[in-house]
Amino acid sequence: MTQTSTTHHQRSPRSIARTAVTLCVAAVVLVGAALGAAADASATETAEAADTPSAVITLGDSYSSGLGAGGYVDDCDRTPQAWNNLIFGGDVTDRTLLACSGARIAEVTQQVQQLATIPGAGDRLITVTVGGNDAGFADQLVNCLVSFLSCTRREAELTTLINSLHQPLVQLYDAVQAAAPGDEVIVGGYPMLVPDPAVRSDCPALTGLLSDSERQMIRRLGVLLNDVIDNAAAEAGVESASDEVASIFDGHEACANAAGDWLYGLKISWSADNEPTIASASPYQPQWDVASSFVRDSFHPTVNGQAGYADAFEEAWAGR
């Protein structure tokens, strides 16, 4: 009978060592991959955090205080509905609104002094809108609406006045940067207040006293003011959101105080809380002082317009 023997092969020490090395290398690769994934995730979280500022501080005039949105809490026409409280949504909870209706460059310089006392500089967004009051836009709109003479006769004078704002704006923007070192400064221009009459001619909230030539002049001066703001921003080395503002408000200018209009036209002040928005409506107890109505909601952003401003500054922040 033949006996079958079973041979047991023993692995050599060299083979065992090779296997151990292979396992170690695999372990290192796996650990490295895990660490790499964790690093990538951390970098992504850091990048996402960098996409929003740690705080938003808003300086400027009525286009930043929230005039037009209603619910004002002080004589500066500040309101919880101002775009300062909308920008970046819930991603930013630290907000300071220093803007005040009627502010000119001199008054915003005082706001800069307040800015310098707020701690936490380094990764905040500081916004500024100013220049419209220095250019006398509100007064000129009043003149255009109540005067029997065409206000276009003052265009050359207003052009000179707007051009003269360049250096004061540069100095202001420099002062903002000095008061908030390391923060991002974005300045904003203004929307075109009235539509091109060739595009939208029937505008009851502008009244029949505002001629096509006056509307065209207002648009030309608006473009000029934004250009001056842009050039001053470039010289000071800060970002400008003028293009974004003008683009977002295109087609939403003051015209009929309708839902699609993000700027009020002539809006008479009423004694009742429930205010109609069509300037030609028959009022109960209107305050007929047109000049007074202009320092209130007229030619200022509605609630939708506040959201538009927030979007414009977010776009400028993302594209910086």
Side-chain angles (χ1 to χ4, degrees), residues 193-236:
L193 298 181
V194 296
D196 184 343
V199 175
R200 194 176 180 192
S201 59
D202 185 16
C203 292
L206 300 182
T207 81
L209 297 177
L210 193 63
S211 68
D212 286 357
S213 60
E214 288 171 330
R215 286 167 62 177
Q216 290 165 342
M217 180 199 72
I218 291 168
R219 289 178 63 87
R220 286 194 296 271
L221 293 176
V223 170
L224 175 62
L225 178 56
N226 281 346
D227 286 346
V228 169
I229 290 171
D230 284 345
N231 292 333
E235 183 171 332

Side-chain angles (χ1 to χ4, degrees), residues 79-166:
T79 170
Q81 300 186 87
W83 62 264
N84 163 274
N85 293 311
L86 305 177
I87 187 170
F88 300 115
D91 292 336
V92 173
T93 57
D94 186 355
R95 306 170 187 274
T96 304
L97 182 55
L98 300 177
C100 188
S101 287
R104 301 188 179 202
I105 293 173
E107 287 75 32
V108 176
T109 301
Q110 296 174 3
Q111 295 172 19
V112 174
Q113 296 173 4
Q114 295 177 265
L115 168 65
T117 67
I118 301 175
D123 55 359
R124 303 173 302 186
L125 169 61
I126 314 298
T127 68
V128 186
T129 61
V130 70
N133 292 316
D134 297 87
F137 260 39
D139 293 338
Q140 292 314 310
L141 282 167
V142 172
N143 290 337
C144 287
L145 282 164
V146 302
S147 175
F148 290 102
L149 299 175
S150 174
C151 62
T152 58
R153 68 190 189 283
R154 295 200 58 215
E155 183 170 3
E157 177 185 347
L158 292 171
T159 297
T160 300
L161 175 59
I162 292 171
N163 281 322
S164 72
L165 299 179
H166 173 85

Side-chain angles (χ1 to χ4, degrees), residues 240-249 308 311-317 319:
S240 174
S242 292
D243 288 345
E244 288 84 353
V245 169
S247 176
I248 282 177
F249 276 83
D311 289 343
F313 274 85
E314 283 188 25
E315 286 186 10
W317 169 269

Side-chain angles (χ1 to χ4, degrees), residues 258-279:
D261 298 341
W262 293 358
L263 293 164
Y264 284 116
L266 178 60
K267 187 167 184 281
I268 304 298
S269 298
W270 288 60
S271 58
D273 291 335
N274 185 17
E275 299 178 347
T277 57
I278 301 300

Side-chain angles (χ1 to χ4, degrees), residues 48-73:
E48 289 176 352
D51 283 343
T52 55
S54 62
V56 176
I57 303 176
T58 302
L59 289 66
D61 52 20
S62 55
Y63 275 76
S64 286
S65 72
L67 183 58
Y72 312 117
V73 298

Side-chain angles (χ1 to χ4, degrees), residues 178-193:
D183 288 334
E184 186 75 32
V185 179
I186 301 180
V187 304
Y190 300 88
M192 298 299 101
L193 298 181

